Amino acid sequence: MSTCPVNGLSFRENVDHMVESAMRILGVSETLGEAIKACRSVLQVKFPVKLRGQVKVFTGWRAIHSEHLLPTKGGLRFAPIVSQDEVEALAALMTYKCALADVPFGGSKGGLLIDPREYDDDEIRTIVARFTLNLAKKGFLDPATSVPAPDMGTGEREMAWIAETYKQLYPQDINSNACVTGKPLDHGGIAGRTEATGRGIQYAIQEFFRHPDDVAEAGLSDGLSSQRVVIQGLGNVGYHAAKFLSEIDNAMVIGVIVSSGAVVNLDGLDIEALHQYHREHRSLRGFPGGTFVDDSEQVLEMECDILILAALEAQIHGGNAVRIRAKLIVEGANGPVTCQGEKILMDKGSVILPDIYVNSGGVVVSYFEWTKNLSHMRYGRLQRRYEATRAMHQLTALESLTGQQVPEWMRSEIVQGASELDLVRSGLDDTMREAYRQIREVMVESEEIDDMRTAAYVIAIDKIARWYRIQGIS
Ligand code: GLU
């Protein structure tokens, strides 16, 4: 593992710190290192919007970290605390995330300084349209060069408004739908995008549990179904991760933390009921299926097997890491463990599944959506019936040759052609397994690398460095 400076680092310095460690291991020259780390361009916009009879000036950013592959890709964050530094750090993270997952995009990120809860739907729509106009007119939004997606505080409805505004601005652009991903299905989106980041977390954890050595290294035993899970965050990412892990893998989610408190049930929480309750009451207090705890730190630090961090950055740091008792820490959010926090966790023997691997599900499925938009056709549309008919003929042939009947449940499974959702999930699962395989390979081969984050950065930087070297920058 890389060493960590004693003084606290900003989010951006944390990312740079990891990148520099990977570069040292790879022997990347200082010049090439600078070229890779540099944020190519940042746009800051300030635009006035008249709301409720008053003019309010909003501030937003779009940072393009790396254009070595185009388009550049990354979410748009709407939050009351966004800064240029944060947006640049997140854009850099997108570059490395895409490289690791073999998504052929550069990294970018955007942010708008706003508390979305202070505005009604029509107002948000107006604000989104104005932000979109500013980004598009200044060359920071289009299908070929810079393609946003949902992030904290934004979702498919904002993405639909962005696509609509862009289309009005450039009606002659036949690929206009590809200017943004994470759109609703009926606005050019793709099946499985909303669940994608949570689904990716599930696939990453499933893959981890396919490797008994890795499981033992974390001090865990048995399969995923015997693990007790605590999740921080019940937004789109945390909710889907919790839902899939509890409903499909039968893991027991014993604690869920949100910004206003936490809820605990050592016999397992009903995630669907909890999510419903949280949507209705905007709080977990009073949820009948568990005990409410005011002090969320207490739940973050409770004994469990897997702790999934799916909320904000810097949640585990030098001040609280020593009290964290989870054996496997899963970074569903971007940058939830600081460099100092990581050092303490690793000294205690915890294993961390790093953000650049774990939360790449969103951008992976965004890639599928972007290619779908460019092809103007739903995945599986051409082959689904063909595959189903073919499978039916094969079954009939098998039955007539053997004289035996395939059970009905098996028949209906086999003769189904793949839907778009099946294909998206299959592509995401494959990506998560392949990235894990690469991370493992690096850890086995290198004596110097003993943590997954460093291994993941080494893989990402190596791929990007090779691109630059071919372009004569070394
Ligand atoms: N906001 C997501 C992320 O941080 C998704 C980005 C995308 O789909 O482009 O990875």
Side-chain angles (χ1 to χ4, degrees), residues 242-286:
K243 178 180 167 70
F244 298 143
L245 287 167
S246 58
E247 289 178 7
I248 298 172
D249 300 297
N250 294 321
M252 199 192 276
V253 179
I254 57 168
V256 169
I257 305 164
V258 296
S259 55
S260 56
V263 69
V264 172
N265 184 342
L266 295 182
D267 294 324
L269 290 158
D270 177 341
I271 297 303
E272 211 40 68
L274 186 71
H275 186 238
Q276 194 60 34
Y277 187 91
H278 189 237
R279 281 168 70 123
E280 273 168 31
H281 299 83
R282 288 178 165 256
S283 162
L284 298 180
R285 192 185 292 275

Side-chain angles (χ1 to χ4, degrees), residues 68-127:
H68 73 293
L69 297 173
L70 288 172
T72 62
K73 195 80 189 77
L76 269 190
R77 176 170 286 206
F78 284 8
I81 31 168
V82 197
S83 65
Q84 184 170 329
D85 188 80
E86 185 190 33
V87 169
E88 285 186 27
L90 290 163
L93 214 49
M94 287 307 301
T95 298
Y96 309 124
K97 207 190 285 188
C98 289
L100 176 69
D102 284 328
V103 168
F105 294 151
S108 59
K109 201 82 173 193
L112 184 67
L113 211 46
I114 186 175
D115 185 348
R117 287 169 306 184
E118 287 177 6
Y119 301 92
D120 66 28
D121 292 359
D122 285 341
E123 290 170 335
I124 294 277
R125 188 181 175 161
T126 310
I127 298 163

Side-chain angles (χ1 to χ4, degrees), residues 20 46 210 259 282 298 302 326 349 389 396 442 457:
E20 282 154 17
K46 283 185 185 280
R210 284 191 194 102
S259 55
R282 288 178 165 256
Q298 227 178 300
M302 77 186 265
T389 311
T396 313
V442 164
Y457 271 95

Side-chain angles (χ1 to χ4, degrees), residues 391-404:
M392 184 106 78
H393 290 327
Q394 282 168 345
L395 268 190
T396 313
L398 185 77
E399 284 177 341
S400 73
L401 285 173
T402 58
Q404 297 205 359

Side-chain angles (χ1 to χ4, degrees), residues 38-50:
C39 185
R40 284 288 178 274
S41 44
V42 194
L43 171 74
Q44 187 197 61
V45 291
K46 283 185 185 280
F47 54 95
V49 185
K50 195 165 183 183

